[in-house]
Amino acid sequence: MPALADRDSILLRDTRLENSLICQPQQRNIHGRIFGGFLMHRAFELAFSTAYAFAGMVPYFLEVDHVDFLRPVDVGDFLRIKSCVLYTEHENSDKPLINIEVVAHVTRPELRSSEVSNTFYFTFTVPREAKAMNNGFRIRKVVPATEEEARCVLKRMDAESLQSNKGKSK
């Protein structure tokens, strides 16, 4: 329950950022669709901005955790890109992890519809010097406020643990 969270917590919905754009012909690939690298670039920029706003200092990029290309994006599509801090990890206090989810939606305002085209997951941290520079600096815990948010967090944590277990078994 969000009301029971400690003072070092923030609601997941309070970490959200959003960007919108109309996809242009210069961003298309040889098949006439929007180039996946362009979508990844825009998703990364929003994820970086989200981590920056959340941490209060320039974050360090660590990795792209996962990318899904669920449906093609066409020239002229109205694309809404939404991000949030899904969860944070504090096991290593010198290197807290900030896990960001970015979801791209192809939106059709005239039909009042929206369809997810891509999901991206990125991990950031803050510089080790953060503790020394900011007396008492801490990365806040992110708390889901709804059941749907909690399911998204658990789903991503499960996927992360599966990935790390596969890496250990090799």
Side-chain angles (χ1 to χ4, degrees), residues 48 51-60 125-127 129-131 133-134 137 139:
F48 185 90
Y52 194 176
F54 174 76
M57 63 178 53
V58 177
Y60 284 174
T125 191
V126 292
E129 306 81 53
K131 280 186 173 180
M133 293 184 319
N134 271 336
F137 174 81
I139 293 292

Side-chain angles (χ1 to χ4, degrees), residues 34-66:
I34 299 302
F35 177 57
F38 171 79
L39 298 172
M40 286 185 69
H41 184 255
R42 293 305 294 257
F44 174 80
E45 286 177 343
L46 189 58
F48 185 90
S49 298
T50 303
Y52 194 176
F54 174 76
M57 63 178 53
V58 177
Y60 284 174
F61 171 69
L62 292 179
E63 66 183 7
V64 176
D65 297 318
H66 189 79

Side-chain angles (χ1 to χ4, degrees), residues 41-161:
H41 184 255
R42 293 305 294 257
F44 174 80
E45 286 177 343
L46 189 58
F48 185 90
S49 298
T50 303
Y52 194 176
F54 174 76
M57 63 178 53
V58 177
Y60 284 174
F61 171 69
L62 292 179
E63 66 183 7
V64 176
D65 297 318
H66 189 79
V67 176
D68 287 312
F69 291 93
L70 304 170
R71 77 174 289 290
V73 178
D74 292 316
V75 171
D77 278 350
F78 176 38
L79 195 66
R80 293 178 68 191
I81 309 171
K82 301 177 182 185
S83 67
C84 68
V85 178
L86 211 49
Y87 62 97
T88 56
E89 297 176 60
H90 300 89
E91 285 81 36
N92 181 351
S93 63
D94 285 339
K95 193 176 178 181
L97 302 179
I98 304 167
N99 295 278
I100 309 284
E101 176 186 59
V102 180
V103 181
H105 302 259
V106 172
T107 303
R108 303 223 188 291
E110 66 280 2
L111 300 175
R112 298 197 190 292
S113 70
S114 179
E115 195 175 354
V116 174
S117 62
N118 306 82
T119 57
F120 308 88
Y121 297 93
F122 301 95
T123 302
F124 294 86
T125 191
V126 292
R128 284 194 183 129
E129 306 81 53
K131 280 186 173 180
M133 293 184 319
N134 271 336
N135 193 14
F137 174 81
R138 290 181 51 139
I139 293 292
R140 293 179 286 181
K141 294 177 185 159
V142 178
V143 179
T146 66
E147 198 174 315
E148 181 183 349
E149 289 176 351
R151 271 196 295 272
C152 287
V153 171
L154 288 173
K155 181 179 172 187
R156 187 69 216 141
M157 288 175 144
D158 286 347
E160 280 293 309
S161 68

